Each structure stands twice: as C-alpha cells, then as structure tokens.
Amino acid sequence: MKKIVFGFLLIAGFYSCKKWALGKDNTGPTPQSNILAYSINEIPVTKNYTVGAFYYNNSTWTAAVKRVPVVGDYNMTNGAVSPAVMARHITQAQAGGIDYFLFAYRSPTKDNTNWKSDSTLIQTFVNANGSGNMKFALAYVVNSGALGISNANPLEKNATAMNNFLTDFQRGVAAFMSNPNYMKVNGKTLLYIESAENIYSSQDSVIYDSIRTRLSGMGFQMYFVGMQDAWTPPARYIDRFYKCVDAIYHNTLSGFTGLTSWDRWYLLPQTMDQNWEYSRQYFRDSMGGINYIPDISPACDPTITTPNSTNPIYPRTDSGAIFRQLCNVAKMNADTGSNGIRMVLIDSWNQWQYDMQLEPDTVNTNNVKPYGELYLNIVKKEFKTP
C-alpha cells in the first residue's frame, strides 16, 4: 500500500473518528480500519545488503535468561570470552548473512577500566577471525560526564576535554582500524559514534573536522555514522549531525530502549516504517544528503531483567513473522539509490538479557521452546541474494 502523507492521515483520521462517533450501526473502529494498518510487502533482494550486528560485552551470564545458546552459557568477565566461543560465533554469523560485528568502544583516557574490557573483547575477535572473512567495526561511546562537557561547558572551550577526546581516537581506535578486516564503506573507514547527541559543542562540525584531520594524518579517510535517540524527530539534533556525519541510525526502535509504549507495539512495523521514512527523507533533503541505516531487532523481552516491567514484549511466539516484516521495513528505508550505502543494522548478536539476540539457541530444561537458527535464516533470506 502506498505510504500516506502525515497531514492527510490526520485529516482522514478526524473524519473517520467523526463517522464512527455518529454512525448508526454503533460498531466503532476496528484494528483493520486503523490508518496505519497497511500491509508490509515482501521486497525482493536483487543485490546484497551489508548487514552489521551489535556484539555486546556481557560481563556475567544471568540466571534470569532461560534460553541456552548453542555454545552453552558463557561469561565475559572483563571482556574475556573463550576463543572457541568467539570462533563459533563468527562461523554462525557468516552462515546467517552477517557481514560484520559492531563492538562498543569506550574512552581509554576517561573510562580506562571499561576500555580495557572492550579492547579485550575486540582483540579476542581479531585473534579468532582466522579466515579473515568476517569484518568488524567500532562504535565509540560518547560519555559527556566522563569528558566533563555539557551545554554550559562545550567541548571546544575545554582544552583538556578536547585533547582527551581526540586522543581517544588516536590512542586506541586507530590501532584497531589498521586491521585489514576492519569495515569500510565506499573505501572509507567506518566508525560509529554512539550517543552522538551528547557531543556538547556550539559547532559540532568543527569537532568532527578535528577528528577527521587527526585520523587523516594517520592514513584514515573516515565514514562517520551518528546515533540519534529512538523515536525522536529528525530535526532535534540537527546541530549535532549537519556537516558532521555521513550517515545516521536510530537507537533501537524495536528493542528495550524504543519499545516502551503499547500504541507502537500494536502496529510496530508500520509505526517504524513511518518514523524511518520521514527521518530518512529529512536527513537526505534537509541535512546535505546524509544516508540512513535502519536498525532492527529479532525480539525483545524487558521482563527478563525487570520482572515487573509494564513495557510491551515483542515475543518469539510468531515463528519470526514480525521480524520478517521488520526486515522488509528496513529494506524499504535503507538507502539503495546511486549514492546509497545499502546498509542495515541488527541489535543484536548476543543481547540475551533482553532476548534480542540472533545467536542460535538450543534445547533447555526451562520449558522454553528453542528457535534455533530461525532468525539467522531469516536474515540471510531477507538481505542476501539467493
């Protein structure tokens, strides 16, 4: 069904509601009459999409997780995971059409303990990636509190914070980006900026220009992808992205940070589609041609970590039906034109504490039906050519 202009939706909704209120049959509206209740059609794949999956640094396996990974429960104390587990993850991901893992990378200058944990995990991946076929990328996590910046104390006016910030990229990020299996986009080195809206500056473009200059001097031509808050309007952070980043993705709309209201849950694929379509067009037309990268999740259960949570659960009881729809919503909104990058993100590979993982599970003793490789098979079918 052709997508509907928002203003027209409001008008149509008004008259529909009026008709329901005055109708003689007194039946009222139905879910099928909702203005967002259009079909999500299957988008044929004629060219492969580049698929990245967030790989989380889960320090301790929690007993609240009732599913069991194929590799068995695994702890990642201080970022250390068994090389055998990592090697199996790489094999599984490649078989399922995942092109690269995306690892969080925290500040070595201001968050040293977590940086060591992140670095340990990433190095484990590098060591286990024997064939060299699997790619990886980093997501630098902006911690405004650790950097000591705010709207009242912007980065460019704090020489110490600015130096620490730029040193973060030179000290550790560059070392991993030198790896031959580090991910590139159109020949440029890919780097995600997580919580990019927290780079407090009166001229963010100057900050990004400074990073580009520093890294260019080390031989890296950068492709920056900034993260925007889930369900936020595209113009809210225009000063954080315009003339700064090459692409934008939203923090998960279908995961624990985004799926927080029931009105979104009832028509999740459609509400995500409308949000992305408007945002994508705005980023392209009003922000200098910035690309857009959709971010989807296979499922989400916030009650694993918060049993009393009243947030909706996006379950696995539909044999992957909603996830298939979200894959097609992602294809509908990924940039595939002449200047597009044809990229999609999946959150996540192993976020087990929210049941958001793609990683295959196996039989268990908790009366939870395993899904096995179902979601990896869906990824491969939906994003790769036959």
Side-chain angles (χ1 to χ4, degrees):
M1 178 178 179
K2 186 176 181 180
K3 296 180 186 177
I4 313 165
V5 177
F6 187 68
F8 173 76
L9 291 179
L10 292 177
I11 297 172
F14 172 79
Y15 283 106
S16 297
C17 290
K18 184 176 180 181
K19 179 179 178 181
W20 292 330
L22 300 177
K24 294 181 180 180
D25 57 6
N26 221 11
T27 58
T30 65
Q32 292 74 25
S33 64
N34 189 292
I35 53 180
L36 291 179
Y38 55 87
S39 299
I40 303 296
N41 296 322
E42 179 70 26
I43 309 297
V45 181
T46 57
K47 183 179 178 181
N48 287 343
Y49 291 79
T50 300
V51 182
F54 288 89
Y55 193 110
Y56 281 88
N57 190 341
N58 301 317
S59 59
T60 304
W61 196 267
T62 172
V65 175
K66 302 304 181 184
R67 297 187 180 278
V68 177
V70 167
V71 298
D73 297 351
Y74 54 92
N75 290 326
M76 305 170 71
T77 305
N78 298 322
V81 62
S82 162
V85 168
M86 180 62 78
R88 188 72 181 276
H89 286 173
I90 292 172
T91 300
Q92 292 169 333
Q94 288 180 306
I98 304 299
D99 296 288
Y100 67 99
F101 282 145
L102 182 58
F103 297 96
Y105 189 89
R106 285 166 285 193
S107 170
T109 60
K110 302 300 294 183
D111 194 1
N112 190 260
T113 299
N114 284 322
W115 167 74
K116 288 180 180 179
S117 178
D118 295 341
S119 297
T120 297
L121 177 60
I122 300 165
Q123 190 61 52
T124 301
F125 167 84
V126 170
N127 294 341
N129 191 27
S131 65
N133 292 328
M134 187 74 173
K135 302 295 184 182
F136 74 105
L138 303 185
Y140 175 83
V141 181
V142 176
N143 187 330
S144 57
L147 288 169
I149 60 175
S150 64
N151 282 327
N153 185 29
L155 187 56
E156 78 276 7
K157 293 184 179 180
N158 186 325
T160 299
M162 185 67 169
N163 181 66
N164 288 334
F165 183 68
L166 295 177
T167 300
D168 283 348
F169 296 95
Q170 290 178 291
R171 178 180 173 185
V173 171
F176 283 115
M177 293 193 307
S178 298
N179 188 285
N181 295 313
Y182 193 87
M183 189 69 190
K184 289 182 168 57
V185 176
N186 295 335
K188 295 183 177 181
T189 302
L190 175 65
L191 183 64
Y192 287 80
I193 307 295
E194 189 173 316
S195 302
E197 73 278 2
N198 292 331
I199 302 180
Y200 295 108
S201 169
S202 57
Q203 285 186 293
D204 278 60
S205 60
V206 174
I207 305 300
Y208 280 90
D209 286 345
S210 298
I211 304 172
R212 290 182 192 275
T213 298
R214 290 281 186 105
L215 293 177
S216 177
M218 302 178 72
F220 301 106
Q221 300 302 311
M222 300 306 301
Y223 190 94
F224 287 119
V225 180
M227 185 193 81
Q228 177 153 326
D229 281 347
W231 300 103
T232 55
R236 176 169 295 178
Y237 301 109
I238 189 169
D239 56 329
R240 304 292 186 226
F241 297 123
Y242 181 57
K243 294 185 177 180
C244 298
V245 301
D246 301 283
I248 294 174
Y249 77 101
H250 277 93
N251 199 2
T252 175
L253 271 61
S254 55
F256 66 97
T257 62
L259 194 59
T260 56
S261 62
W262 287 91
D263 57 340
R264 296 170 186 159
W265 179 85
Y266 280 108
L267 290 167
L268 181 63
Q270 289 82 358
T271 53
M272 287 175 61
D273 178 37
Q274 291 299 312
N275 182 287
W276 284 350
E277 182 184 34
Y278 178 71
S279 296
R280 175 174 56 85
Q281 291 179 354
Y282 188 92
F283 296 147
R284 182 192 63 205
D285 299 338
S286 300
M287 293 177 66
I290 293 176
N291 281 313
Y292 187 68
I293 304 178
D295 177 12
I296 58 177
S297 300
C300 183
D301 184 357
T303 64
I304 295 175
T305 56
T306 310
N308 295 325
S309 173
T310 58
N311 289 340
I313 295 173
Y314 160 27
R316 298 180 188 263
T317 53
D318 62 353
S319 300
I322 292 180
F323 184 57
R324 289 186 182 90
Q325 291 185 64
L326 293 183
C327 288
N328 282 283
V329 171
K331 287 185 285 188
M332 292 160 63
N333 289 283
D335 284 307
T336 57
S338 57
N339 296 321
I341 52 175
R342 211 177 189 85
M343 294 179 68
V344 173
L345 284 171
I346 299 180
D347 193 352
S348 65
W349 173 257
N350 62 335
Q351 186 79 309
W352 289 89
Q353 62 266 43
Y354 290 101
D355 199 28
M356 291 171 61
Q357 71 284 346
L358 284 173
E359 182 183 352
D361 75 341
T362 187
V363 293
N364 57 77
T365 59
N366 299 310
N367 295 319
V368 179
K369 182 180 178 181
Y371 57 82
E373 298 181 350
L374 171 66
Y375 293 88
L376 280 179
N377 292 336
I378 292 173
V379 169
K380 189 169 185 179
K381 179 182 181 297
E382 295 294 344
F383 295 114
K384 304 297 180 181
T385 56

